[in-house]
Amino acid sequence: MRKEESVTEQLKGTLTPDRKERKNLISLLQEIQESLGYLPREAMTELAKFLEMPAVRVYSVATFYNQFRFTSIGKYPIQVCLGTACHLRGGKLILQEFERQLGIKVGETSQDGNFSLERVACMGCCMLAPVVRIGDRAPAVKIGDKIYPKMTPFKVDEISVPYKQEIEKERSEEEQIPQ
Amino acid sequence: MTFKELTNRAKSEWEALQSSTHILVGTATCGRAAGAMETVKAFEEELKRRNIEVKVIEVGCMGLCYAEPLVAISRPESLRVVYHHMTQELVPRLVEGYIISDDPCLELALGTFEVGEEGEAPYIPELPRFEKELRLVLRRCGYIDPENINHYLANDGYRGLEKALKMRPEEIIEEIKKSGLRGRGGAGFPTGLKWEICHSYSATPKYIVCNADEGDPGAFMDRIVLESDPQQVIEGMIIGGYAIGADEGYIYIRAEYPLAVERVKVALQQAEKLGFLGDNILSSGFGFRINLATGAGAFVSGEETGLMAAIEGETSEPRPRPPYPAESGLWGKPTALNNVKTFANIHLIVERGADWFASIGTEKSKGTALFSLAGKIKDSGLTEVPMGTTIREIVYDIGDGILNDREFKAVQIGGPSGGMIPANLQDTPIDFDSLTSIGSMMGSGGFIVMDEDDCAVDATCFFVDFITRESCGKCTPCRVGNLQMLKVLENITNGKGKMEDIDFLLELAEDIKGGSLCALGGTAPNPVLTSIRYFQDEYAAHVLEKRCPAKVCTNLTAYCILQDKCDRSCEHCVLTCPTEAIGGGVGKIKHIDQEKCVNCGTCRDVCPPKYNAVVKLSPISSLPLEDFAAKEKAVAKAIEESET
Ligand SMILES: Cc1cc2nc3c(=O)[nH]c(=O)nc-3n(C[C@H](O)[C@H](O)[C@H](O)COP(=O)(O)O)c2cc1C
Ligand code: SF4
Ligand code: SF4
Ligand code: SF4
Ligand code: FES
Ligand code: FES
């Protein structure tokens, strides 16, 4: 999120006059989450005003659906599949291994903001079970997201390596920029 | 342009492609997960490097997911060959072999589309899988570019619509009724009847809604259809709109399917551009539009009234029926809501006639069924078979049997609220009514195979856990009852169950069934009822012996290193154990500290097969005495943690 701008500013592009219909609520929530990474309270209040409906309605819809989040997401959101096929092939062991490695519980984001961990139910590639998806700086699932097939607890560390390297690289680049 | 002109133009584009060498790569979601996009890139780079002009076309899925990435090379006047597991490293070899020279690299091939010479790669139509299959909805999947409407048009696309627009709506409905088509979304309601009811109401506007929520965790048929041949679904929706008198439709796709969403978007744009959507379609005077809505991740959004609430921007809480959506649906208007596969069948029925369709399948279930085969089956993927095909034929002829030749135990058909069908009922023909009669249901097409290493109680626990998470909470029996079932089941898997619990579960199941508003609650007890009915012994072993026969339930099983088998110095297990639970010392016999072990199984996976020193035991009382005490402590702690 670009901190310097207010939420109102940031939503200007999304809340355009042609979208004032009630039915747009869910797709607007999706777009806001897409651009801000999550649904901050101010954004939902703003949206309620825009759609001329009570803020509690917006909250109740947003909290009903699994897709919406109310805290910021990690740079690399990790989704471990716990659908039927992945469960049968040990998806839970993969999830537990991520929890151990990252030192966080499912549903949380690591302190440094780099990784967050979620469980999902089926990504539609059950034949490659168990699968893990790692996204890139976006809360919604994207076409280009990397899916790791046939995971084992042992591979958890291995697939995390490129992300850790990337984080490390960015960190050292930042340090090089003179203040 | 007229329909004829559009088709002719499409056909000449298609024929030009067929008469040139071209490469098809399956890039549906699972193909991508297996590396298909890297394969596409490798082809493009290799062709560029060698300065060759050959088209590389991204297609959908042939259903053979186990063999992904799949590549087909078509050369005019030569064999068309399909290659399996075609990862990027193999690309240069294939380009050298079959693009530049005349070696079709049959050692890499899954098969050929023409009969080759004796002893060469198999002839695909004669593979057991293809002999049992009947591909109607899937017939273009994996062969055409889903983002090119001309490929669809050149392969009979929109002929059903063209014919439909010359019929009266009542005639179309009559034809669908006569065909015997039943909804493919789960309940199997006759589609023609639904449309007739909807047609009979005079309120306007009316709506067509396509349900592509596919929330069943372990099913991916609708995704593949949309990613591989989306136009057929759009065509079905337009015909539906014309038949019931609607001029607007919605297609609701779950957000977890970004590629399907993208391909449908492209398909809608192309259909509109050529005049299959919009005003005055094919100069008939009839106009129709389709909007796309994406789900926000709730299983209950797949229920029809819940889905319509989601489109309206509300929470997906099901509402009582009647009134049925056909009378009062989207925004209170008459709405025909159907599944993706239901719509995909429509254009064929219109084009080829009701009698043709009714000649396929069984007396009360016509046409084909699509299943996504997953779990412990060798050739997982998508299949389409005539109704009435048996479970055995699907598992063994199409799926090539059980992975690693383990024992077939059961199959879960119908998703988390379907039933667990034991292997001894594998000769049951698959159709709506036979499945219901054995306590399961057709559902939307998930077909998850379990083997002897899967625990019936654990699987049931998993399904009930899923349902509990996804219940919208409106009705008490569903909200509270399922949670209560889950607690009892968890107790059993923790070795704390009593035999009375089983009766309690049966009672609770009846209460939930009776007291739930929608089918999510109404069918939730199915896995409990079927697993108790067919696998009572397993429940008894958990309760009476604290033993999990399949050695799955974590709190009843333990890993143990056999002293006489451990090599002492290989150290694989020590180096890979995530919790440093393995001790004993370098060069000494290894030993697992049961208090630290988290049952991840890594040590067993890495222990070299020639030693095979790590075993899994159940009950935990079969561990050496000291280890048992340590394990009991660990289990008590784990249970305590999970309860907080
Ligand atoms: C909890 C629940 C989830 C459902 N999920 C789906 C789904 O993902 N796709 C679907 O087509 N039907 C689903 N259904 C069935 C729909 O309510 C509806 O019956 C179906 O879409 C009607 O289409 P059809 O007549 O073509 O089968 C679900 C039903 C329930 C109770
Ligand atoms: S049965 Fe369950 S999911 Fe269906 S309406 Fe009632 S509480 Fe909601
Ligand atoms: S099962 Fe996992 S945690 Fe237990 S000893 Fe083996 S590797 Fe370590
Ligand atoms: S991997 Fe197997 S053989 Fe090697 S030290 Fe461990 S238990 Fe012994
Ligand atoms: S169950 Fe994990 S991808 Fe389907
Ligand atoms: S080959 Fe996988 S969805 Fe197809």
Side-chain angles (χ1 to χ4, degrees):
Chain A
M1 184 173 24
R2 288 153 297 171
K3 289 255 159 40
E4 57 280 12
E5 280 176 76
S6 74
V7 165
T8 318
E9 278 301 305
Q10 292 182 47
L11 294 184
K12 263 200 177 136
T14 315
L15 305 183
T16 48
D18 57 316
R19 309 191 62 193
K20 272 192 175 288
E21 273 176 273
R22 175 78 179 74
K23 69 166 184 178
N24 293 326
L25 173 57
I26 293 173
S27 57
L28 287 170
L29 284 170
Q30 286 171 329
E31 283 170 43
I32 294 172
Q33 171 156 302
E34 182 70 36
S35 66
L36 304 185
Y38 69 108
L39 297 175
R41 184 172 271 274
E42 307 83 346
M44 288 192 282
T45 321
E46 191 78 14
L47 180 58
K49 260 193 262 159
F50 173 76
L51 294 176
E52 291 166 27
M53 63 200 290
V56 298
R57 286 300 300 153
V58 175
Y59 300 144
S60 84
V61 169
T63 49
F64 183 86
Y65 294 99
N66 299 326
Q67 192 189 16
F68 298 117
R69 6 186 341 124
F70 308 99
T71 51
S72 65
I73 196 170
K75 190 182 266 177
Y76 300 112
I78 300 171
Q79 297 183 327
V80 179
C81 181
L82 288 182
T84 314
C86 293
H87 170 78
L88 291 181
R89 296 214 193 170
K92 210 154 107 197
L93 297 173
I94 314 297
L95 184 68
Q96 290 169 346
E97 186 59 24
F98 271 113
E99 289 184 332
R100 269 192 297 276
Q101 296 236 346
L102 298 171
I104 54 174
K105 289 277 164 212
V106 60
E108 297 177 349
T109 302
S110 63
Q111 286 246 302
D112 56 14
N114 285 326
F115 294 101
S116 49
L117 189 60
E118 287 174 350
R119 54 176 286 169
V120 294
C122 198
M123 308 180 183
C125 23
C126 315
M127 51 288 178
L128 301 169
V131 297
V132 168
R133 170 159 46 209
I134 304 189
D136 195 354
R137 291 158 243 248
V141 171
K142 290 276 177 19
I143 295 175
D145 287 353
K146 191 90 183 99
I147 293 178
Y148 296 90
K150 302 197 176 161
M151 284 295 295
T152 63
F154 189 52
K155 282 199 213 157
V156 164
D157 190 34
E158 194 180 303
I159 66 165
S160 318
V161 169
Y163 298 93
K164 291 186 180 150
Q165 283 172 345
E166 183 63 31
I167 291 164
E168 196 47 44
K169 205 175 109 206
E170 278 177 21
R171 209 175 54 91
S172 62
E173 277 169 7
E174 265 166 37
E175 275 170 8
Q176 273 166 21
I177 300 171
Q179 294 298 317
Chain B
M1 268 197 263
T2 64
F3 180 67
K4 201 156 178 210
E5 284 161 352
L6 287 173
T7 317
N8 286 343
R9 192 181 64 178
K11 278 195 172 135
S12 46
E13 180 185 325
W14 177 257
E15 275 151 23
L17 179 69
Q18 299 313 312
S19 58
S20 68
T21 300
H22 61 278
I23 300 166
L24 307 178
V25 185
T27 59
T29 300
C30 58
R32 288 170 187 242
M37 292 318 282
E38 287 76 12
T39 301
V40 171
K41 207 164 142 238
F43 267 116
E44 286 170 349
E45 280 170 6
E46 185 67 13
L47 293 169
K48 197 165 162 217
R49 194 175 70 80
R50 290 172 169 264
N51 237 330
I52 306 169
E53 289 248 345
V54 164
K55 278 209 170 104
V56 181
I57 295 170
E58 286 183 38
V59 294
C61 165
M62 277 179 67
L64 311 172
C65 306
Y66 67 97
E68 291 280 341
L70 272 178
V71 166
I73 297 187
S74 228
R75 282 183 34 169
E77 295 165 43
S78 186
L79 291 176
R80 276 184 302 162
V81 189
V82 179
Y83 303 93
H84 59 96
H85 298 109
M86 194 44 65
T87 41
Q88 52 184 340
E89 320 77 74
L90 293 166
V91 164
R93 182 153 153 222
L94 212 55
V95 170
E96 177 67 46
Y98 204 38
I99 301 289
I100 294 176
S101 328
D102 289 321
D103 166 19
C105 303
L106 292 177
E107 65 286 359
L108 301 176
L110 180 106
T112 57
F113 280 113
E114 286 81 23
V115 188
E117 314 236 320
E118 262 321 291
E120 285 186 336
Y123 174 47
I124 289 177
E126 281 178 7
L127 289 173
R129 183 188 194 106
F130 288 85
E131 285 208 328
K132 289 276 174 188
E133 284 186 340
L134 176 64
R135 295 188 169 214
L136 303 180
V137 171
L138 288 186
R139 75 192 194 290
R140 281 175 293 250
C141 294
Y143 301 95
I144 64 166
D145 178 352
E147 297 192 13
N148 184 344
I149 192 171
N150 281 341
H151 282 196
Y152 181 66
L153 278 173
N155 287 283
D156 306 336
Y158 285 107
R159 280 173 47 176
L161 176 66
E162 203 239 357
K163 185 168 166 193
L165 292 176
K166 293 183 180 141
M167 295 161 73
R168 283 184 304 113
E170 296 79 7
E171 284 174 322
I172 299 173
I173 291 172
E174 198 47 45
E175 200 67 10
I176 305 292
K177 272 172 77 181
K178 219 168 84 190
S179 75
L181 175 68
R182 295 171 68 172
R184 299 303 197 239
F189 191 82
T191 305
L193 189 59
K194 190 186 274 185
W195 289 14
E196 185 174 63
I197 297 169
C198 204
H199 176 79
S200 74
Y201 287 101
S202 51
T204 52
K206 295 181 186 179
Y207 296 99
I208 287 281
V209 176
C210 175
N211 186 346
D213 191 52
E214 194 156 65
D216 166 0
F220 46 88
M221 311 73 48
D222 296 355
R223 168 179 73 66
I224 290 189
V225 171
L226 294 175
E227 287 178 357
S228 307
D229 189 7
Q231 293 289 354
Q232 59 176 338
V233 179
I234 296 172
E235 184 176 354
M237 289 176 72
I238 306 170
I239 297 174
Y242 177 71
I244 67 160
D247 55 14
E248 196 173 353
Y250 281 84
I251 174 161
Y252 185 89
I253 310 182
R254 71 195 296 241
E256 290 86 342
Y257 288 175
L259 185 64
V261 171
E262 183 56 33
R263 288 190 170 166
V264 167
K265 250 187 216 162
V266 172
L268 288 172
Q269 279 160 5
Q270 294 184 345
E272 191 169 339
K273 195 155 165 245
L274 296 196
F276 296 109
L277 285 170
D279 297 325
N280 194 15
I281 296 169
L282 300 179
S283 317
S284 64
F286 170 68
F288 193 72
R289 274 177 190 73
I290 296 180
N291 309 294
L292 185 68
T294 53
F299 180 56
V300 72
S301 296
E303 195 276 340
E304 54 188 18
T305 60
L307 187 142
M308 293 185 301
I311 294 179
E312 293 170 5
E314 303 285 344
T315 51
S316 261
E317 277 174 24
R319 61 156 179 78
R321 298 169 306 172
Y324 287 93
E327 178 188 352
S328 171
L330 208 52
W331 290 291
K333 301 294 182 187
T335 301
L337 182 144
N338 286 107
N339 173 260
V340 170
K341 288 154 281 161
T342 313
F343 283 118
N345 273 297
I346 298 294
H347 72 295
L348 272 176
I349 298 175
V350 172
E351 190 197 327
R352 300 188 189 178
D355 294 335
W356 163 79
F357 191 80
S359 71
I360 304 163
T362 64
E363 199 198 325
K364 290 203 173 126
S365 303
K366 299 298 186 191
T368 57
L370 268 83
F371 286 105
S372 50
L373 313 181
K376 306 294 179 63
I377 191 162
K378 265 188 203 154
D379 293 357
S380 51
L382 194 65
T383 189
E384 182 172 6
V385 291
M387 293 276 185
T389 305
T390 65
I391 294 173
R392 182 197 300 274
E393 288 172 299
I394 294 187
V395 172
Y396 289 97
D397 298 331
I398 293 175
D400 197 28
I402 307 299
L403 215 58
N404 304 322
D405 293 315
R406 306 294 284 172
E407 187 92 29
F408 175 29
K409 174 168 179 171
V411 55
Q412 177 82 12
I413 299 183
S417 44
M420 212 176 280
I421 304 170
N424 62 19
L425 292 178
Q426 61 182 293
D427 288 313
T428 309
I430 293 183
D431 59 53
F432 290 101
D433 312 299
S434 317
L435 287 179
T436 311
S437 76
I438 54 175
S440 183
M441 62 180 198
M442 191 73 151
S444 65
F447 190 104
I448 306 225
V449 176
M450 300 188 228
D451 69 9
E452 56 191 304
D453 299 328
D454 295 314
C455 169
V457 187
D458 170 75
T460 307
C461 205
F462 167 81
F463 294 126
V464 175
D465 178 54
F466 178 82
I467 292 292
T468 308
R469 287 167 190 273
E470 296 296 335
S471 162
C472 81
K474 195 170 180 172
C475 340
T476 317
C478 172
R479 186 183 67 238
V480 181
N482 278 307
L483 191 62
Q484 227 168 339
M485 282 213 293
L486 180 63
K487 288 268 171 312
V488 175
L489 285 162
E490 275 175 354
N491 257 342
I492 297 177
T493 62
N494 285 335
K496 305 216 171 298
K498 298 186 283 299
M499 282 315 269
E500 304 91 85
D501 288 346
I502 298 175
D503 295 323
F504 179 61
L505 281 174
L506 293 174
E507 253 174 61
L508 209 51
E510 290 311 322
D511 292 345
I512 297 173
K513 261 189 168 178
S516 293
L517 176 63
C518 84
L520 186 140
T523 55
N526 280 344
V528 177
L529 293 171
T530 47
S531 64
I532 294 179
R533 174 150 138 206
Y534 298 121
F535 299 101
Q536 181 135 35
D537 294 358
E538 249 174 85
Y539 278 86
H542 283 74
V543 172
L544 301 174
E545 303 167 49
K546 313 221 173 304
R547 178 173 68 91
C548 174
K551 301 187 186 124
V552 168
C553 298
T554 327
N555 290 329
L556 301 180
T557 50
Y559 285 88
C560 177
I561 295 175
L562 299 174
Q563 308 266 306
D564 53 333
K565 290 220 173 151
C566 175
D567 166 66
R568 293 159 196 258
S569 56
C570 89
E571 310 289 332
H572 283 55
C573 57
V574 180
L575 295 172
T576 52
C577 173
T579 58
E580 296 178 4
I582 303 178
V586 179
K588 305 240 174 70
I589 292 176
K590 301 298 178 285
H591 175 259
I592 296 177
D593 178 345
Q594 298 292 343
E595 263 189 85
K596 284 192 188 161
C597 173
V598 291
N599 274 39
C600 78
T602 304
C603 52
R604 191 178 59 166
D605 295 343
V606 299
C607 184
K610 62 180 166 185
Y611 308 126
N612 247 340
V614 186
V615 290
K616 211 174 174 185
L617 302 174
S618 181
I620 56 174
S621 59
S622 49
L623 283 167
L625 215 53
E626 255 170 56
D627 291 342
F628 174 44
K631 183 75 193 177
E632 275 201 308
K633 255 197 211 163
V635 167
K637 201 170 141 225
I639 293 175
E640 198 187 317
E641 266 174 24
S642 73
E643 276 168 2
T644 53

